[in-house]
Structure formats: C-alpha cells, structure tokens
C-alpha cells in the first residue's frame, strides 16, 4: 500500500508540472514578446523551405553548353552508310547517320552518368551572337533499349538549317516531369564535313539490302510487259546490286495463275522473267549473275479459286543470293541469260 500511494503522488506531481509547462508556453506565446519570437521562428522555417524548394528547382533544370573550342565535326562513309560525327565531348555521342532508301536520322548516345533520362526533344537554336535567340522544336524521341535516342523526323530540313548557321539542342527529361537537362551543341567547324556527308548521301543506294534481297513484281491479267513503276523498282534495285560485292547470284523466277494451258502458262512465265533479266542487264547487271527460271502455275502462293488469289500468283520474283547462301534448285525449266 505505501508503494502504491507513493506512485500515485509522483504521477500527480508530474502531471501538474506538464500542465504548468503547457500553460506557461501558451502564455508566453500570446504575450507581445512571445509573439515576436514565435513569428521569427516561423519566418526562419518559411525561408528554409523556400531555399530548399528553389534549390531543387535549380538542380532540376540544367543547361549544358559544349564549348565551341572543344566542338568539331568529322565525316566517315561507305557505299551503304554515311556518318557525320560530333567530336570532342565526354557527355555522349552525337551524330547524323544516313542509310540506303533515304533513311536519315540524328543519333544520341548517353554516357553512363546520364542514363536516367528517358525522352528527348531535338530543337534548332540560334547561335549566341544572333538576336533574338530562337528555339524551335524539330522532333522527339524515346530512349531505345541500347540507351540511344534516334530522331528520324524532319532531319533533312534540320540539315538545311544547319547549313544556314543554326545550332542544335537536345532537351532530356525523365520520369520526374520537373527534372530536365538541355545540351547545346555548337555547329562550328562543320562545313567541310557536312559537304562530304551530303555528297555521300547522294551516292547511297535507293534500296537497302532488306528491301532488295527479294523483290516481287505482280502482273495484271494478260500483262506481258513491265509497267513504268516496275521499271523504276528494278532501277532502284540495281543501285543496291552495284555496291554489294557479295552478291553471287540473281535468281529470277516467273509464275502465273492457272488460267490457260500448262504450256501457255510456262511460256508466259518465262517471257516475263526474261524481260526482267533483260532490263537488269540494260541497267548494268552482269549476265553471269543472272539465272532465269520459269515455273508456270506450279508454285502458287495463294488459291486460284478467287481473283485476288490469282493476282498474287501472277508474279516474277527477283532474289539476291550472297556468297554465304545456297541456291535452292527446283525441278523447273531453267535458262541462264547470256
């Protein structure tokens, strides 16, 4: 009993002290002096919050300008690819790339420290000595699996603007919408490299290997000769054949639908295939590469019971065979072009 009584007395005294402390703090705050210090305390808290907020905003928007004296451009090219590289920056790799079939892009590889960005906007900007300063968005891109941004739209017009003195800028952003970073790339010491790049582009094939590897020409019912569009397609194909030294064979296979006799269809398929071979020779393809094969109606790709199916079967296919591939032979009428 004495222990319990002692505990109750101590608890009551502690409670009284807490109540007194709270009451004392309230009276001090409500007094003139207390209000002054109380307001001063919250003003300091307010400024601390403001500093943190604006500091984070400043860090969220960063502008990187590559120095002009560290900026230069170089050109490299082959018969199937042209590249205009920006040299002299550790932030990442910037380059224009052109491939057959007028495939033109601006590529941007980030270094490891900048891998957190996921989307980018490519813009053209005025150089610093031009007033007023203008920033005009050109296109956007998402980061690919390899960590590369590939801009593909409006690049041809951007190159024209670069020839007129415009610079380029890439604005990067991530999952946090408030965070972004801009990289301004000077277009100094670029004119000779750009001239070589444009010259290389003009010599690229009109088709890529993927496009030229297998070309299918379809014929309307009764058509014996190539149309103007088909002639252009063959001419584009030859621009690729001319630059690929690995091509060992060009297989030309003629096919028809099942309308008419077997002999008639066989002769028609051969006639169409031989005309294609003659056109390729006219455009400069060596005869030794060409093999003509006539199949008539024996290898349909669709049913001949519908007009649509018969249209698919009336065709001549041209296939390029490289040195690491084998020619698939068929029991067909075969003739080598002389």
């Amino acid at each position: 009993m004495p222990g319990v009584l002692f505990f109750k007395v101590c608890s009551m005294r502690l409670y009284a002290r807490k109540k007194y402390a709270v009451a004392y703090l309230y009276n001090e705050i409500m007094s003139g002096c207390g209000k002054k210090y109380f307001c001063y305390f919250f003003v300091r808290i307010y400024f601390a919050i403001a500093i943190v907020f604006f500091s984070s905003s400043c860090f969220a928007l960063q502008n990187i300008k590559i120095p002009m004296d560290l900026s230069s451009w170089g050109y490299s090219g082959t018969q199937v690819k042209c590249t205009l590289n920006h040299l002299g920056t550790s932030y990442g790799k910037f380059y224009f790339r052109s491939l057959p079939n007028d495939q033109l892009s601006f590529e941007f590889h980030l270094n490891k420290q900048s891998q957190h960005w996921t989307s980018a906007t490519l813009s053209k900007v005025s150089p610093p000595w031009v007033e007023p300063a203008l920033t005009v968005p050109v296109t956007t891109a998402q980061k690919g699996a390899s960590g590369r941004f590939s801009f593909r739209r409006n690049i041809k017009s951007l190159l024209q603007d670069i020839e007129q003195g415009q610079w380029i800028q890439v604005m990067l952003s991530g999952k946090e919408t408030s965070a972004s970073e801009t990289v301004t790339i000077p277009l100094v010491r670029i004119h000779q490299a750009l001239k070589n790049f444009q010259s290389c582009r003009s010599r690229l094939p009109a088709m890529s290997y993927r496009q030229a590897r297998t070309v299918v020409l379809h014929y309307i019912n009764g058509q014996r000769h190539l149309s103007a569009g088909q002639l252009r397609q063959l001419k584009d194909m030859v621009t690729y054949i001319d630059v690929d030294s690995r091509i060992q064979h060009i297989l030309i296979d003629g096919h028809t639908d099942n309308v008419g006799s077997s002999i008639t269809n066989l002769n028609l398929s051969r006639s169409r295939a031989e005309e294609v071979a003659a056109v390729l020779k006219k455009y400069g393809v060596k005869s030794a590469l060409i093999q003509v094969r006539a199949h008539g109606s024996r290898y349909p790709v669709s049913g001949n019971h519908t007009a649509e199916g018969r249209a698919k079967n009336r065709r001549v296919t041209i296939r390029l065979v490289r040195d690491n591939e084998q020619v698939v032979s068929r029991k067909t009428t075969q003739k080598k072009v002389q």
Side-chain angles (χ1 to χ4, degrees):
M1 287 296 294
V4 175
L5 181 61
F6 176 77
F7 176 76
K8 288 184 177 181
V9 171
C10 290
S11 299
M12 291 175 65
R13 293 184 65 182
L14 181 61
Y15 176 76
R17 287 182 179 179
K18 287 184 177 180
K19 293 286 289 183
Y20 175 76
V22 172
Y24 175 79
L25 179 61
Y26 176 78
N27 290 332
E28 287 295 319
I29 291 174
M30 296 308 295
S31 66
C33 181
K35 287 182 179 179
K36 179 177 69 175
Y37 286 107
F38 188 70
C39 293
Y40 174 71
F41 171 76
F42 275 97
V43 167
R44 293 186 65 182
I45 293 294
Y46 172 79
F47 275 106
I49 294 174
I51 290 172
V52 171
F53 175 78
F54 285 110
S55 297
S56 62
S57 298
C58 292
F59 284 115
L61 299 173
Q62 299 186 47
N63 190 1
I64 299 173
K65 294 183 178 180
I66 299 174
M68 286 190 292
D69 56 345
L70 298 180
S71 182
S72 61
W73 293 79
Y75 155 78
S76 63
T78 66
Q79 291 181 313
V80 293
K81 182 172 71 172
C82 309
T83 307
L84 181 63
N85 294 287
H86 180 265
L87 309 174
T89 176
S90 60
Y91 187 82
K93 296 180 180 179
F94 306 87
Y95 58 93
F96 291 91
R97 183 179 66 178
S98 186
L99 299 173
N101 192 31
D102 203 24
Q103 299 179 62
L104 182 62
S105 62
F106 178 72
E107 309 287 333
F108 177 22
H109 290 261
L110 295 169
N111 60 22
K112 293 182 179 180
Q113 288 75 25
S114 304
Q115 289 294 323
H116 56 284
W117 304 119
T118 57
S119 60
T121 299
L122 177 65
S123 301
K124 59 181 180 181
V125 297
S126 305
W129 54 82
V130 174
E131 293 292 342
L134 297 176
T135 300
V136 180
V138 175
T139 184
T140 60
Q142 299 294 316
K143 185 170 68 175
S146 61
R148 178 182 65 186
F149 293 95
S150 182
F151 303 92
R152 301 182 183 277
R153 296 192 303 272
N154 306 321
I155 303 302
K156 186 180 294 186
S157 61
L158 177 61
L159 286 175
Q160 295 173 351
D161 293 326
I162 290 173
E163 291 177 345
Q164 300 300 317
Q166 293 290 295
W167 288 12
I168 54 179
Q169 184 182 85
V170 178
M171 186 178 73
L172 301 161
S173 57
K175 295 181 180 179
E176 297 180 6
T177 56
S178 61
S180 64
E181 186 170 275
T182 62
V183 182
T184 302
I185 308 168
L187 273 299
V188 295
R189 292 185 288 277
I190 192 177
H191 297 292
Q192 186 58 47
L194 178 57
K195 182 179 179 180
N196 294 337
F197 177 74
Q198 296 285 42
S199 177
C200 176
R201 288 187 60 229
S202 67
R203 298 189 300 270
L204 288 175
M207 283 188 179
S208 65
Y209 174 67
R210 180 180 297 180
Q211 294 170 318
R213 182 179 183 180
T214 302
V215 172
V216 181
L217 306 176
H218 290 283
Y219 291 73
I220 63 174
N221 189 28
Q223 177 187 349
R224 288 183 172 272
H225 300 291
L226 293 164
S227 66
Q230 290 170 333
L231 290 172
R232 286 193 299 270
Q233 194 172 0
L234 291 176
K235 193 169 186 178
D236 290 345
M237 186 181 190
V238 171
T239 63
Y240 181 81
I241 296 173
D242 288 342
V243 301
D244 192 342
S245 60
R246 295 180 57 191
I247 296 174
Q248 300 295 308
H249 304 282
I250 301 174
L251 306 181
I252 304 175
D253 293 275
H255 303 268
T256 66
D257 56 26
N258 67 346
V259 177
S261 67
S262 298
I263 296 299
T264 299
N265 288 331
L266 186 62
N267 291 334
L268 179 59
S269 65
R270 182 185 294 112
S271 174
R272 289 170 174 169
E274 287 179 344
E275 184 186 23
V276 170
V279 170
L280 293 181
K281 289 175 59 180
K282 178 182 176 182
Y283 290 153
V285 177
K286 296 179 180 179
S287 299
L289 298 177
I290 299 174
Q291 293 183 17
V292 172
R293 307 189 294 190
H295 307 287
S297 60
R298 280 179 288 184
Y299 299 104
V301 294
S302 186
N304 280 302
H305 57 281
T306 65
E308 182 181 359
R310 291 191 295 272
K312 292 179 179 179
N313 292 330
R314 294 189 298 267
R315 69 197 189 279
V316 171
T317 62
I318 308 105
R319 188 166 71 89
L320 307 182
V321 181
R322 281 178 165 174
D323 50 13
N324 61 341
E325 299 174 305
Q326 292 183 347
V327 177
V328 178
S329 61
R330 286 177 173 175
K331 295 180 180 179
T332 60
T333 302
Q334 182 172 317
K335 180 180 178 181
K336 191 166 183 177
V337 176
Q338 301 298 328

